[in-house]
Amino acid sequence: MLKAIAAAGLGLLAAGTPPPGGPRLLDPAIRGWTPEARERLDAFILAAGRTAASYDPTRPPVAAFDWDNTVFKHDMGDATMYWLLRHGKIRQPAGRDWAKTNPHLTPAARQALNAACDALADPGQPLPTATATACADTIFAVYDGGRTPGGEPAFDRPQTRTQHQAYAWLAQLLAGYTPAEIRDFARAAYQQHGAAPISATQTVGSHRGVTAWGRIYPQMKDLIGALRANGFAIWVVSASPQHVIEPVADLVGIPAERVIGIRTVLADGRATATLQGCGGIPAGPDAPMTFDRGKRCWLNKVVFGMPDGPAQLDPHPDPRMRPVFAAGDSDTDIAFMQDATGLKLAIDRQKTQLMCNAYRNVGGNWLVQPMFLQPLPPRAKAYPCSTAADHAGEPLRDETGLPIPDQADRAHMPGE
C-alpha cells in the first residue's frame, strides 16, 4: 500500500505545486523540516487524503499522534505534576493509605510517603507541598525517578508493555477532582511552561533545575492542520492523563473527543484512581493504559470499534482498520507506529527501540525527523538493536517479527 501511496504522491508533486485553492500542503514559510520530510509528507497528504481516488469520506484515513515530545516539546504530564506540587493540589489519600492511589507502590515507597506527608492534611484534603518540602520531595522522587528519596524502588512493577506505573500514578493522584478541574490545572501548567523562556527551570520541593518550559511545535501544528484540511481523522494517543491532554490538544485543533490519554473511572462526576479496562482486562490496577501495546489497545477500542477482548492488544487483522499515519518520539509509541499502513514519522530523541525500527525501515514507510528545538547531535556509535530489549525484556523485532540488526544514526541532515 505504501509504495502505491508514495508513487502517487510524488507523481503529483512532480507535476507541479497545486494551484491556489487546491489541496493544502505544509506551509513553506514554516521552516525546520528536513527536505526529505517535507517532500514525503506533502506527497503522502496528496496521495492518501481527499484528493486520492481511493478516498472514502465515510471512512476517513486515521492519523494518530503521540503528544509529549512529538507535538509538544517536553511533557505535559510532567509539567502538570510539577504545577500540582508547587500549588498544593495533591490530596491526602483516604485513610492516609498511599496504596489506594496505586497498589503497585512498594512498602518502602508507602512508608516514605507516610513519613513525609501524613501529618500535613486530613484524608481528602490538599497536601501543602508548596511549602512542605519533604512531602513534595518524596512525591517528586517516586514520580520522576521511580524511587524513594532513599533510593529504594518505588513500584513493584515499574514498566510492562501496557503500563508505566509512574505515569499512571499522576492520573491516580488526580482522584477526587472533576474533569473540568483537571483541565484547569493543565491549562495553568501549559500557560506557565509556554510563556517561560526556552531552557527555563524551576524548583520543585528542594529539586532545582527542573524543566519549566515547553512549546507546541509550529511544524507539527501545521502538519495536523494540513492533514485535517485534506480529510484525515486526527487523533492524539498519549501516556499523559486524558484530561491533562484535552485542553492542550485543542490548541492544535484536536477536540477532546479525539484525545485518548490515561483514562480512569469516573464516580459521581469525579476522577478515581481506577484505570479503565481494555484488551479484555477489566478496570483496575492492571488494566492497559496508553503505553506501548496499550496505545494500540486503546486505538483499536476507541477509534476502530474492536470488541473488547485480548485481540485489542494485537494489530487489527484488517489493515483498513489501522492508522494510515502515525507520529511518535519514544519506545512507548512503537506498537501503534508499527501498525500504521502509510507513513510513520519518528521524531528523533535517540530512543533505541524506535530508532532501530525507523532505520530498519521495513516497507520503506518510516521517516525520521530531528527535533525542531534543541536537536540532538549525531550518535558516535550505532544503535545496539541486536542486543537491546523492549519493555518486556524481549529482543527488538520489526513489524514482520524479524530481529533488527544494529543501525547507524543517519538522521542528522541539515534542515531548512
Side-chain angles (χ1 to χ4, degrees):
M1 177 181 178
L2 172 77
K3 291 182 178 179
I5 289 175
L10 291 171
L12 288 168
L13 284 176
T17 302
R24 157 133 148 62
L25 300 179
L26 296 179
D27 185 344
I30 298 176
R31 315 291 283 178
W33 294 105
T34 66
E36 179 193 11
R38 180 178 291 277
E39 179 180 55
R40 290 184 64 187
L41 286 166
D42 278 345
F44 173 77
I45 289 168
L46 288 174
R50 67 173 80 252
T51 57
S54 60
Y55 182 81
D56 180 358
T58 67
R59 185 186 285 180
V62 169
F65 288 79
D66 169 60
W67 182 265
D68 299 312
N69 282 304
T70 297
V71 179
F72 176 75
K73 172 69 173 179
H74 293 316
D75 189 294
M76 270 305 303
D78 290 352
T80 302
M81 173 61 95
Y82 305 152
W83 187 94
L84 294 169
L85 287 170
R86 286 170 56 89
H87 291 82
K89 296 297 183 181
I90 294 173
R91 289 175 160 154
Q92 182 80 266
R96 295 182 170 84
D97 182 0
W98 287 89
K100 290 183 178 178
T101 63
N102 185 311
H104 290 291
L105 286 165
T106 61
R110 299 197 302 270
Q111 183 178 3
L113 289 161
N114 288 142
C117 304
D118 271 10
L120 301 178
D122 291 331
Q125 297 302 307
L127 293 160
T129 50
T131 55
T133 302
C135 183
D137 282 351
T138 304
I139 295 172
F140 182 95
V142 170
Y143 171 78
D144 195 67
R147 293 189 173 273
T148 69
E152 297 176 271
F155 297 100
D156 61 21
R157 192 183 61 188
Q159 294 183 29
T160 69
R161 291 199 65 195
T162 60
Q163 288 194 322
H164 187 297
Q165 294 303 332
Y167 296 170
W169 198 44
L170 170 57
Q172 292 162 327
L173 288 175
L174 292 166
Y177 288 110
T178 66
E181 289 171 327
I182 298 169
R183 292 184 196 107
D184 285 344
F185 298 157
R187 286 189 189 98
Y190 173 78
Q191 288 167 2
Q192 173 201 326
H193 282 237
I198 290 176
S199 298
T201 63
Q202 61 189 322
T203 299
V204 181
S206 65
H207 293 271
R208 298 173 181 268
V210 178
T211 299
W213 70 281
R215 295 289 188 276
I216 290 174
Y217 286 132
Q219 295 87 352
M220 297 301 282
K221 182 177 181 179
D222 179 54
L223 171 59
I224 288 168
L227 289 167
R228 185 174 56 249
N230 283 276
F232 290 79
I234 315 297
W235 289 81
V236 167
V237 56
S238 171
S240 288
Q242 175 77 27
H243 306 304
V244 165
I245 297 300
E246 287 175 352
V248 289
D250 186 62
L251 299 175
V252 298
I254 301 175
E257 60 268 21
R258 292 286 180 88
V259 172
I260 311 173
I262 299 175
R263 296 186 173 187
T264 58
V265 174
L266 296 180
D268 299 323
R270 295 181 180 272
T272 72
T274 302
L275 301 175
Q276 292 186 25
C278 190
I281 301 172
D286 297 319
M289 52 172 273
T290 39
F291 180 83
D292 199 355
R293 287 183 73 199
K295 287 193 174 188
R296 170 193 287 150
C297 188
W298 279 96
L299 283 167
N300 280 336
K301 177 177 180 174
V302 175
V303 180
F304 300 110
M306 182 183 284
D308 187 54
Q312 290 175 328
L313 291 162
D314 296 327
H316 200 294
D318 183 351
R320 297 172 301 174
M321 304 296 282
R322 300 183 193 175
V324 69
F325 174 88
D329 72 287
S330 174
D331 297 346
T332 70
D333 301 321
I334 195 67
F336 89 93
M337 292 188 70
Q338 283 186 338
D339 289 353
T341 59
L343 195 61
K344 313 175 195 212
L345 174 62
I347 302 299
D348 179 19
R349 290 205 303 132
Q350 297 187 359
K351 298 299 182 180
T352 297
Q353 187 178 1
L354 178 66
M355 299 312 295
C356 287
N357 275 266
Y359 287 134
R360 179 63 167 166
N361 197 18
V362 171
N365 58 347
W366 287 86
L367 174 62
V368 175
Q369 166 66 42
M371 290 190 293
F372 302 104
L373 288 171
Q374 300 176 337
L376 297 172
R379 282 174 57 99
K381 296 182 179 179
Y383 286 96
C385 311
S386 63
T387 55
D390 65 17
H391 294 111
E394 298 293 328
L396 303 190
R397 296 184 180 277
D398 61 30
E399 298 95 311
T400 68
L402 294 176
I404 303 176
D406 293 352
Q407 299 290 321
D409 182 4
R410 306 188 294 277
H412 302 276
M413 301 174 291
E416 300 170 319

